[in-house]
Amino acid sequence: MAAVRSHHPDADASLLERAYAEASVWHAGQRRYSGDPYITHCLAVAAIVAELHMPPPVVCAALLHDVEDTACPPQRIADRLGQEIADLIAAVRTAAVSAYPQPSKDTTPASDAAGPSRERAVLAIRLADRLHNMRTITFMAQPKQLLKARETLDVFVPVASAAGLETVGCELQDLASAVLQPPPSSYAVTGRLLTALTLLLPSQQRARWQEEWSGDLAAHTTRRARTRFVLRVLLGAPRLSMALRRPSRQERR
């Protein structure tokens, strides 16, 4: 992986290749909610971890962080890739992000030559896992989206910020906030615009035309069709207003 090589040019490429091979074997046939092969999630999490300057064993653990959900024998990863990676994977599965201590701002960064602590490495994988899940959250059911977004804001964002991973924390906050406070839909926007357009009409006629326009708007099922309908109303509203305000023949007599 390019991110690993850029930060760790002397890394053992064969270790990463073996970890990827194991992940490919045990996640074969699995799919995400999006329909993508599950291995795409493993690769994305590993890439995020590599961008956080984590060393190759941590990246390998990120590639295999969900392998315990497969038929992979318990001892296989330790035998093939080493006990360090196996222990990291086990820690990722059992660690609660909310239980992590809040590091001070003087905490040694993950890129320090001494390498990250076990705790920090596990935290990096957990945050990367949540970050990719939030990036693809639109494929989850709506109730689950709301639960994940709330948990992300309440737990993951503060921990990421306290750990000095502001970039991850900021993106998590933006993604979660977009779920909990989505921008108004095009239907809502066009509906409000139609309501505003009725103000051009005589007051006694507004309710009738708002009801008619709302019915017509609901009949259009795509954003493009609704937008075009509202534009037609917008262009015709001044003429309609003049016509409605023009006295009838009986009133002129």
Side-chain angles (χ1 to χ4, degrees), residues 4-37:
V4 179
R5 294 192 185 95
S6 63
H7 300 303
H8 301 278
D10 298 327
D12 181 4
S14 66
L15 181 67
L16 293 167
E17 291 169 358
R18 294 200 307 275
Y20 173 73
E22 289 292 324
S24 297
V25 167
W26 300 110
H27 289 297
Q30 292 182 342
R31 296 279 173 178
R32 306 197 77 218
Y33 289 123
S34 63
D36 293 333

PDB file of all heavy atoms in Angstrom, residues 4-37:
ATOM      1  N   VAL A   4       1.473   3.153   3.337  1.00  0.00           N
ATOM      2  CA  VAL A   4       2.397   2.495   4.257  1.00  0.00           C
ATOM      3  C   VAL A   4       3.830   2.740   3.816  1.00  0.00           C
ATOM      4  O   VAL A   4       4.707   3.080   4.622  1.00  0.00           O
ATOM      5  CB  VAL A   4       2.109   0.989   4.332  1.00  0.00           C
ATOM      6  CG1 VAL A   4       3.098   0.308   5.276  1.00  0.00           C
ATOM      7  CG2 VAL A   4       0.683   0.739   4.793  1.00  0.00           C
ATOM      8  N   ARG A   5       4.096   2.575   2.525  1.00  0.00           N
ATOM      9  CA  ARG A   5       5.461   2.738   2.025  1.00  0.00           C
ATOM     10  C   ARG A   5       5.958   4.171   2.195  1.00  0.00           C
ATOM     11  O   ARG A   5       7.146   4.403   2.444  1.00  0.00           O
ATOM     12  CB  ARG A   5       5.523   2.331   0.557  1.00  0.00           C
ATOM     13  CG  ARG A   5       5.265   0.846   0.315  1.00  0.00           C
ATOM     14  CD  ARG A   5       5.623   0.441  -1.105  1.00  0.00           C
ATOM     15  NE  ARG A   5       5.276  -0.945  -1.363  1.00  0.00           N
ATOM     16  CZ  ARG A   5       4.134  -1.335  -1.926  1.00  0.00           C
ATOM     17  NH1 ARG A   5       3.237  -0.438  -2.279  1.00  0.00           N
ATOM     18  NH2 ARG A   5       3.889  -2.611  -2.131  1.00  0.00           N
ATOM     19  N   SER A   6       5.070   5.149   2.064  1.00  0.00           N
ATOM     20  CA  SER A   6       5.500   6.542   2.177  1.00  0.00           C
ATOM     21  C   SER A   6       5.931   6.873   3.603  1.00  0.00           C
ATOM     22  O   SER A   6       6.852   7.668   3.804  1.00  0.00           O
ATOM     23  CB  SER A   6       4.381   7.484   1.732  1.00  0.00           C
ATOM     24  OG  SER A   6       3.258   7.364   2.582  1.00  0.00           O
ATOM     25  N   HIS A   7       5.271   6.286   4.583  1.00  0.00           N
ATOM     26  CA  HIS A   7       5.604   6.569   5.972  1.00  0.00           C
ATOM     27  C   HIS A   7       6.596   5.563   6.558  1.00  0.00           C
ATOM     28  O   HIS A   7       7.282   5.866   7.533  1.00  0.00           O
ATOM     29  CB  HIS A   7       4.336   6.592   6.825  1.00  0.00           C
ATOM     30  CG  HIS A   7       3.342   7.621   6.412  1.00  0.00           C
ATOM     31  ND1 HIS A   7       3.643   8.968   6.332  1.00  0.00           N
ATOM     32  CD2 HIS A   7       2.044   7.516   6.010  1.00  0.00           C
ATOM     33  CE1 HIS A   7       2.580   9.639   5.938  1.00  0.00           C
ATOM     34  NE2 HIS A   7       1.595   8.774   5.724  1.00  0.00           N
ATOM     35  N   HIS A   8       6.633   4.362   5.968  1.00  0.00           N
ATOM     36  CA  HIS A   8       7.532   3.316   6.459  1.00  0.00           C
ATOM     37  C   HIS A   8       8.213   2.653   5.252  1.00  0.00           C
ATOM     38  O   HIS A   8       7.857   1.549   4.853  1.00  0.00           O
ATOM     39  CB  HIS A   8       6.756   2.272   7.273  1.00  0.00           C
ATOM     40  CG  HIS A   8       6.043   2.853   8.456  1.00  0.00           C
ATOM     41  ND1 HIS A   8       6.669   3.100   9.659  1.00  0.00           N
ATOM     42  CD2 HIS A   8       4.762   3.257   8.611  1.00  0.00           C
ATOM     43  CE1 HIS A   8       5.795   3.618  10.510  1.00  0.00           C
ATOM     44  NE2 HIS A   8       4.634   3.724   9.901  1.00  0.00           N
ATOM     45  N   PRO A   9       9.177   3.338   4.647  1.00  0.00           N
ATOM     46  CA  PRO A   9       9.803   2.833   3.418  1.00  0.00           C
ATOM     47  C   PRO A   9      10.506   1.497   3.600  1.00  0.00           C
ATOM     48  O   PRO A   9      10.693   0.769   2.625  1.00  0.00           O
ATOM     49  CB  PRO A   9      10.804   3.940   3.054  1.00  0.00           C
ATOM     50  CG  PRO A   9      11.023   4.700   4.318  1.00  0.00           C
ATOM     51  CD  PRO A   9       9.733   4.645   5.062  1.00  0.00           C
ATOM     52  N   ASP A  10      10.885   1.159   4.827  1.00  0.00           N
ATOM     53  CA  ASP A  10      11.575  -0.113   5.055  1.00  0.00           C
ATOM     54  C   ASP A  10      10.628  -1.225   5.487  1.00  0.00           C
ATOM     55  O   ASP A  10      11.071  -2.283   5.939  1.00  0.00           O
ATOM     56  CB  ASP A  10      12.655   0.074   6.141  1.00  0.00           C
ATOM     57  CG  ASP A  10      13.712   1.085   5.717  1.00  0.00           C
ATOM     58  OD1 ASP A  10      13.993   1.159   4.509  1.00  0.00           O
ATOM     59  OD2 ASP A  10      14.236   1.804   6.594  1.00  0.00           O
ATOM     60  N   ALA A  11       9.323  -0.985   5.355  1.00  0.00           N
ATOM     61  CA  ALA A  11       8.344  -1.981   5.810  1.00  0.00           C
ATOM     62  C   ALA A  11       8.449  -3.265   5.000  1.00  0.00           C
ATOM     63  O   ALA A  11       8.790  -3.255   3.808  1.00  0.00           O
ATOM     64  CB  ALA A  11       6.931  -1.401   5.688  1.00  0.00           C
ATOM     65  N   ASP A  12       8.120  -4.359   5.655  1.00  0.00           N
ATOM     66  CA  ASP A  12       8.123  -5.674   5.014  1.00  0.00           C
ATOM     67  C   ASP A  12       6.850  -5.809   4.169  1.00  0.00           C
ATOM     68  O   ASP A  12       5.757  -6.031   4.699  1.00  0.00           O
ATOM     69  CB  ASP A  12       8.185  -6.766   6.084  1.00  0.00           C
ATOM     70  CG  ASP A  12       8.209  -8.172   5.484  1.00  0.00           C
ATOM     71  OD1 ASP A  12       8.259  -8.284   4.242  1.00  0.00           O
ATOM     72  OD2 ASP A  12       8.173  -9.141   6.259  1.00  0.00           O
ATOM     73  N   ALA A  13       7.004  -5.654   2.868  1.00  0.00           N
ATOM     74  CA  ALA A  13       5.833  -5.711   1.979  1.00  0.00           C
ATOM     75  C   ALA A  13       5.168  -7.074   2.021  1.00  0.00           C
ATOM     76  O   ALA A  13       3.949  -7.178   1.868  1.00  0.00           O
ATOM     77  CB  ALA A  13       6.251  -5.374   0.551  1.00  0.00           C
ATOM     78  N   SER A  14       5.934  -8.105   2.235  1.00  0.00           N
ATOM     79  CA  SER A  14       5.360  -9.448   2.237  1.00  0.00           C
ATOM     80  C   SER A  14       4.372  -9.630   3.388  1.00  0.00           C
ATOM     81  O   SER A  14       3.396 -10.372   3.271  1.00  0.00           O
ATOM     82  CB  SER A  14       6.476 -10.500   2.324  1.00  0.00           C
ATOM     83  OG  SER A  14       7.150 -10.419   3.572  1.00  0.00           O
ATOM     84  N   LEU A  15       4.612  -8.941   4.513  1.00  0.00           N
ATOM     85  CA  LEU A  15       3.686  -9.033   5.647  1.00  0.00           C
ATOM     86  C   LEU A  15       2.327  -8.472   5.266  1.00  0.00           C
ATOM     87  O   LEU A  15       1.285  -9.075   5.545  1.00  0.00           O
ATOM     88  CB  LEU A  15       4.260  -8.271   6.839  1.00  0.00           C
ATOM     89  CG  LEU A  15       3.423  -8.298   8.126  1.00  0.00           C
ATOM     90  CD1 LEU A  15       3.376  -9.706   8.699  1.00  0.00           C
ATOM     91  CD2 LEU A  15       3.984  -7.317   9.155  1.00  0.00           C
ATOM     92  N   LEU A  16       2.326  -7.317   4.618  1.00  0.00           N
ATOM     93  CA  LEU A  16       1.071  -6.709   4.170  1.00  0.00           C
ATOM     94  C   LEU A  16       0.375  -7.585   3.129  1.00  0.00           C
ATOM     95  O   LEU A  16      -0.852  -7.730   3.142  1.00  0.00           O
ATOM     96  CB  LEU A  16       1.339  -5.330   3.587  1.00  0.00           C
ATOM     97  CG  LEU A  16       1.834  -4.264   4.576  1.00  0.00           C
ATOM     98  CD1 LEU A  16       2.346  -3.056   3.831  1.00  0.00           C
ATOM     99  CD2 LEU A  16       0.716  -3.867   5.525  1.00  0.00           C
ATOM    100  N   GLU A  17       1.160  -8.159   2.237  1.00  0.00           N
ATOM    101  CA  GLU A  17       0.581  -9.016   1.200  1.00  0.00           C
ATOM    102  C   GLU A  17      -0.074 -10.255   1.819  1.00  0.00           C
ATOM    103  O   GLU A  17      -1.150 -10.674   1.390  1.00  0.00           O
ATOM    104  CB  GLU A  17       1.663  -9.420   0.203  1.00  0.00           C
ATOM    105  CG  GLU A  17       2.150  -8.252  -0.657  1.00  0.00           C
ATOM    106  CD  GLU A  17       3.398  -8.589  -1.455  1.00  0.00           C
ATOM    107  OE1 GLU A  17       3.899  -9.736  -1.301  1.00  0.00           O
ATOM    108  OE2 GLU A  17       3.876  -7.732  -2.218  1.00  0.00           O
ATOM    109  N   ARG A  18       0.563 -10.832   2.852  1.00  0.00           N
ATOM    110  CA  ARG A  18      -0.011 -12.004   3.501  1.00  0.00           C
ATOM    111  C   ARG A  18      -1.293 -11.638   4.256  1.00  0.00           C
ATOM    112  O   ARG A  18      -2.264 -12.388   4.256  1.00  0.00           O
ATOM    113  CB  ARG A  18       1.002 -12.637   4.454  1.00  0.00           C
ATOM    114  CG  ARG A  18       2.220 -13.236   3.771  1.00  0.00           C
ATOM    115  CD  ARG A  18       2.934 -14.256   4.637  1.00  0.00           C
ATOM    116  NE  ARG A  18       3.276 -13.750   5.962  1.00  0.00           N
ATOM    117  CZ  ARG A  18       4.383 -13.061   6.233  1.00  0.00           C
ATOM    118  NH1 ARG A  18       5.241 -12.758   5.250  1.00  0.00           N
ATOM    119  NH2 ARG A  18       4.647 -12.665   7.465  1.00  0.00           N
ATOM    120  N   ALA A  19      -1.272 -10.467   4.879  1.00  0.00           N
ATOM    121  CA  ALA A  19      -2.475 -10.023   5.600  1.00  0.00           C
ATOM    122  C   ALA A  19      -3.627  -9.802   4.628  1.00  0.00           C
ATOM    123  O   ALA A  19      -4.775 -10.199   4.902  1.00  0.00           O
ATOM    124  CB  ALA A  19      -2.172  -8.739   6.367  1.00  0.00           C
ATOM    125  N   TYR A  20      -3.332  -9.189   3.480  1.00  0.00           N
ATOM    126  CA  TYR A  20      -4.384  -8.974   2.482  1.00  0.00           C
ATOM    127  C   TYR A  20      -4.906 -10.304   1.943  1.00  0.00           C
ATOM    128  O   TYR A  20      -6.125 -10.478   1.748  1.00  0.00           O
ATOM    129  CB  TYR A  20      -3.856  -8.121   1.329  1.00  0.00           C
ATOM    130  CG  TYR A  20      -4.839  -8.001   0.191  1.00  0.00           C
ATOM    131  CD1 TYR A  20      -5.981  -7.223   0.309  1.00  0.00           C
ATOM    132  CD2 TYR A  20      -4.633  -8.708  -1.002  1.00  0.00           C
ATOM    133  CE1 TYR A  20      -6.894  -7.133  -0.726  1.00  0.00           C
ATOM    134  CE2 TYR A  20      -5.540  -8.621  -2.039  1.00  0.00           C
ATOM    135  CZ  TYR A  20      -6.665  -7.836  -1.897  1.00  0.00           C
ATOM    136  OH  TYR A  20      -7.580  -7.762  -2.919  1.00  0.00           O
ATOM    137  N   ALA A  21      -4.003 -11.247   1.726  1.00  0.00           N
ATOM    138  CA  ALA A  21      -4.414 -12.560   1.228  1.00  0.00           C
ATOM    139  C   ALA A  21      -5.349 -13.247   2.219  1.00  0.00           C
ATOM    140  O   ALA A  21      -6.360 -13.844   1.824  1.00  0.00           O
ATOM    141  CB  ALA A  21      -3.184 -13.432   0.956  1.00  0.00           C
ATOM    142  N   GLU A  22      -5.022 -13.149   3.511  1.00  0.00           N
ATOM    143  CA  GLU A  22      -5.878 -13.758   4.533  1.00  0.00           C
ATOM    144  C   GLU A  22      -7.253 -13.083   4.556  1.00  0.00           C
ATOM    145  O   GLU A  22      -8.286 -13.755   4.617  1.00  0.00           O
ATOM    146  CB  GLU A  22      -5.215 -13.654   5.910  1.00  0.00           C
ATOM    147  CG  GLU A  22      -4.009 -14.541   6.101  1.00  0.00           C
ATOM    148  CD  GLU A  22      -4.374 -16.024   6.120  1.00  0.00           C
ATOM    149  OE1 GLU A  22      -5.447 -16.373   6.652  1.00  0.00           O
ATOM    150  OE2 GLU A  22      -3.583 -16.832   5.600  1.00  0.00           O
ATOM    151  N   ALA A  23      -7.257 -11.771   4.513  1.00  0.00           N
ATOM    152  CA  ALA A  23      -8.532 -11.049   4.521  1.00  0.00           C
ATOM    153  C   ALA A  23      -9.368 -11.420   3.302  1.00  0.00           C
ATOM    154  O   ALA A  23     -10.590 -11.610   3.402  1.00  0.00           O
ATOM    155  CB  ALA A  23      -8.276  -9.541   4.560  1.00  0.00           C
ATOM    156  N   SER A  24      -8.740 -11.550   2.156  1.00  0.00           N
ATOM    157  CA  SER A  24      -9.463 -11.897   0.929  1.00  0.00           C
ATOM    158  C   SER A  24     -10.087 -13.283   1.022  1.00  0.00           C
ATOM    159  O   SER A  24     -11.220 -13.496   0.582  1.00  0.00           O
ATOM    160  CB  SER A  24      -8.509 -11.833  -0.272  1.00  0.00           C
ATOM    161  OG  SER A  24      -8.014 -10.529  -0.464  1.00  0.00           O
ATOM    162  N   VAL A  25      -9.347 -14.216   1.614  1.00  0.00           N
ATOM    163  CA  VAL A  25      -9.848 -15.588   1.731  1.00  0.00           C
ATOM    164  C   VAL A  25     -11.057 -15.660   2.657  1.00  0.00           C
ATOM    165  O   VAL A  25     -12.095 -16.221   2.314  1.00  0.00           O
ATOM    166  CB  VAL A  25      -8.731 -16.527   2.240  1.00  0.00           C
ATOM    167  CG1 VAL A  25      -9.316 -17.873   2.661  1.00  0.00           C
ATOM    168  CG2 VAL A  25      -7.670 -16.720   1.169  1.00  0.00           C
ATOM    169  N   TRP A  26     -10.924 -15.053   3.846  1.00  0.00           N
ATOM    170  CA  TRP A  26     -11.963 -15.235   4.858  1.00  0.00           C
ATOM    171  C   TRP A  26     -13.168 -14.333   4.662  1.00  0.00           C
ATOM    172  O   TRP A  26     -14.247 -14.618   5.191  1.00  0.00           O
ATOM    173  CB  TRP A  26     -11.351 -15.063   6.245  1.00  0.00           C
ATOM    174  CG  TRP A  26     -10.265 -16.062   6.495  1.00  0.00           C
ATOM    175  CD1 TRP A  26      -8.934 -15.844   6.598  1.00  0.00           C
ATOM    176  CD2 TRP A  26     -10.441 -17.475   6.601  1.00  0.00           C
ATOM    177  NE1 TRP A  26      -8.251 -17.017   6.761  1.00  0.00           N
ATOM    178  CE2 TRP A  26      -9.155 -18.048   6.771  1.00  0.00           C
ATOM    179  CE3 TRP A  26     -11.538 -18.325   6.564  1.00  0.00           C
ATOM    180  CZ2 TRP A  26      -8.949 -19.413   6.907  1.00  0.00           C
ATOM    181  CZ3 TRP A  26     -11.341 -19.690   6.712  1.00  0.00           C
ATOM    182  CH2 TRP A  26     -10.061 -20.226   6.884  1.00  0.00           C
ATOM    183  N   HIS A  27     -13.016 -13.281   3.902  1.00  0.00           N
ATOM    184  CA  HIS A  27     -14.177 -12.419   3.614  1.00  0.00           C
ATOM    185  C   HIS A  27     -14.754 -12.684   2.222  1.00  0.00           C
ATOM    186  O   HIS A  27     -15.652 -11.961   1.778  1.00  0.00           O
ATOM    187  CB  HIS A  27     -13.790 -10.940   3.734  1.00  0.00           C
ATOM    188  CG  HIS A  27     -13.549 -10.486   5.138  1.00  0.00           C
ATOM    189  ND1 HIS A  27     -14.535 -10.481   6.108  1.00  0.00           N
ATOM    190  CD2 HIS A  27     -12.416 -10.025   5.755  1.00  0.00           C
ATOM    191  CE1 HIS A  27     -14.038 -10.039   7.247  1.00  0.00           C
ATOM    192  NE2 HIS A  27     -12.754  -9.757   7.069  1.00  0.00           N
ATOM    193  N   ALA A  28     -14.245 -13.696   1.548  1.00  0.00           N
ATOM    194  CA  ALA A  28     -14.738 -14.031   0.201  1.00  0.00           C
ATOM    195  C   ALA A  28     -16.241 -14.313   0.248  1.00  0.00           C
ATOM    196  O   ALA A  28     -16.727 -15.046   1.107  1.00  0.00           O
ATOM    197  CB  ALA A  28     -13.987 -15.238  -0.345  1.00  0.00           C
ATOM    198  N   GLY A  29     -16.981 -13.706  -0.664  1.00  0.00           N
ATOM    199  CA  GLY A  29     -18.425 -13.925  -0.743  1.00  0.00           C
ATOM    200  C   GLY A  29     -19.249 -13.022   0.152  1.00  0.00           C
ATOM    201  O   GLY A  29     -20.473 -12.944  -0.006  1.00  0.00           O
ATOM    202  N   GLN A  30     -18.624 -12.332   1.079  1.00  0.00           N
ATOM    203  CA  GLN A  30     -19.357 -11.418   1.956  1.00  0.00           C
ATOM    204  C   GLN A  30     -19.599 -10.088   1.241  1.00  0.00           C
ATOM    205  O   GLN A  30     -18.762  -9.631   0.470  1.00  0.00           O
ATOM    206  CB  GLN A  30     -18.592 -11.172   3.256  1.00  0.00           C
ATOM    207  CG  GLN A  30     -18.497 -12.385   4.157  1.00  0.00           C
ATOM    208  CD  GLN A  30     -17.777 -12.062   5.459  1.00  0.00           C
ATOM    209  OE1 GLN A  30     -17.067 -11.063   5.571  1.00  0.00           O
ATOM    210  NE2 GLN A  30     -17.947 -12.907   6.453  1.00  0.00           N
ATOM    211  N   ARG A  31     -20.740  -9.492   1.535  1.00  0.00           N
ATOM    212  CA  ARG A  31     -21.099  -8.210   0.920  1.00  0.00           C
ATOM    213  C   ARG A  31     -21.486  -7.203   1.982  1.00  0.00           C
ATOM    214  O   ARG A  31     -21.991  -7.556   3.046  1.00  0.00           O
ATOM    215  CB  ARG A  31     -22.298  -8.400  -0.035  1.00  0.00           C
ATOM    216  CG  ARG A  31     -21.998  -9.300  -1.220  1.00  0.00           C
ATOM    217  CD  ARG A  31     -21.280  -8.541  -2.310  1.00  0.00           C
ATOM    218  NE  ARG A  31     -20.843  -9.429  -3.394  1.00  0.00           N
ATOM    219  CZ  ARG A  31     -20.236  -9.014  -4.483  1.00  0.00           C
ATOM    220  NH1 ARG A  31     -20.012  -7.721  -4.658  1.00  0.00           N
ATOM    221  NH2 ARG A  31     -19.851  -9.867  -5.416  1.00  0.00           N
ATOM    222  N   ARG A  32     -21.256  -5.944   1.674  1.00  0.00           N
ATOM    223  CA  ARG A  32     -21.697  -4.869   2.552  1.00  0.00           C
ATOM    224  C   ARG A  32     -23.131  -4.477   2.190  1.00  0.00           C
ATOM    225  O   ARG A  32     -23.692  -4.962   1.214  1.00  0.00           O
ATOM    226  CB  ARG A  32     -20.769  -3.660   2.413  1.00  0.00           C
ATOM    227  CG  ARG A  32     -19.308  -3.991   2.635  1.00  0.00           C
ATOM    228  CD  ARG A  32     -18.508  -2.733   2.888  1.00  0.00           C
ATOM    229  NE  ARG A  32     -18.711  -2.256   4.250  1.00  0.00           N
ATOM    230  CZ  ARG A  32     -18.812  -0.982   4.595  1.00  0.00           C
ATOM    231  NH1 ARG A  32     -18.751  -0.042   3.659  1.00  0.00           N
ATOM    232  NH2 ARG A  32     -18.981  -0.621   5.855  1.00  0.00           N
ATOM    233  N   TYR A  33     -23.731  -3.585   2.988  1.00  0.00           N
ATOM    234  CA  TYR A  33     -25.085  -3.122   2.690  1.00  0.00           C
ATOM    235  C   TYR A  33     -25.154  -2.511   1.296  1.00  0.00           C
ATOM    236  O   TYR A  33     -26.183  -2.568   0.627  1.00  0.00           O
ATOM    237  CB  TYR A  33     -25.527  -2.073   3.714  1.00  0.00           C
ATOM    238  CG  TYR A  33     -25.788  -2.622   5.092  1.00  0.00           C
ATOM    239  CD1 TYR A  33     -25.105  -2.120   6.199  1.00  0.00           C
ATOM    240  CD2 TYR A  33     -26.718  -3.630   5.306  1.00  0.00           C
ATOM    241  CE1 TYR A  33     -25.339  -2.619   7.472  1.00  0.00           C
ATOM    242  CE2 TYR A  33     -26.961  -4.125   6.566  1.00  0.00           C
ATOM    243  CZ  TYR A  33     -26.269  -3.622   7.652  1.00  0.00           C
ATOM    244  OH  TYR A  33     -26.497  -4.115   8.904  1.00  0.00           O
ATOM    245  N   SER A  34     -24.063  -1.917   0.859  1.00  0.00           N
ATOM    246  CA  SER A  34     -24.020  -1.276  -0.455  1.00  0.00           C
ATOM    247  C   SER A  34     -23.979  -2.285  -1.594  1.00  0.00           C
ATOM    248  O   SER A  34     -24.179  -1.918  -2.752  1.00  0.00           O
ATOM    249  CB  SER A  34     -22.790  -0.374  -0.556  1.00  0.00           C
ATOM    250  OG  SER A  34     -21.598  -1.150  -0.445  1.00  0.00           O
ATOM    251  N   GLY A  35     -23.677  -3.543  -1.268  1.00  0.00           N
ATOM    252  CA  GLY A  35     -23.494  -4.564  -2.291  1.00  0.00           C
ATOM    253  C   GLY A  35     -22.050  -4.763  -2.678  1.00  0.00           C
ATOM    254  O   GLY A  35     -21.721  -5.697  -3.410  1.00  0.00           O
ATOM    255  N   ASP A  36     -21.157  -3.900  -2.190  1.00  0.00           N
ATOM    256  CA  ASP A  36     -19.735  -4.036  -2.497  1.00  0.00           C
ATOM    257  C   ASP A  36     -19.142  -5.236  -1.761  1.00  0.00           C
ATOM    258  O   ASP A  36     -19.605  -5.594  -0.669  1.00  0.00           O
ATOM    259  CB  ASP A  36     -18.967  -2.783  -2.073  1.00  0.00           C
ATOM    260  CG  ASP A  36     -19.340  -1.565  -2.894  1.00  0.00           C
ATOM    261  OD1 ASP A  36     -19.757  -1.750  -4.046  1.00  0.00           O
ATOM    262  OD2 ASP A  36     -19.205  -0.442  -2.372  1.00  0.00           O
ATOM    263  N   PRO A  37     -18.110  -5.852  -2.315  1.00  0.00           N
ATOM    264  CA  PRO A  37     -17.423  -6.931  -1.592  1.00  0.00           C
ATOM    265  C   PRO A  37     -16.919  -6.420  -0.246  1.00  0.00           C
ATOM    266  O   PRO A  37     -16.438  -5.286  -0.143  1.00  0.00           O
ATOM    267  CB  PRO A  37     -16.263  -7.303  -2.524  1.00  0.00           C
ATOM    268  CG  PRO A  37     -16.701  -6.854  -3.882  1.00  0.00           C
ATOM    269  CD  PRO A  37     -17.525  -5.619  -3.657  1.00  0.00           C
TER     270      PRO A  37
END
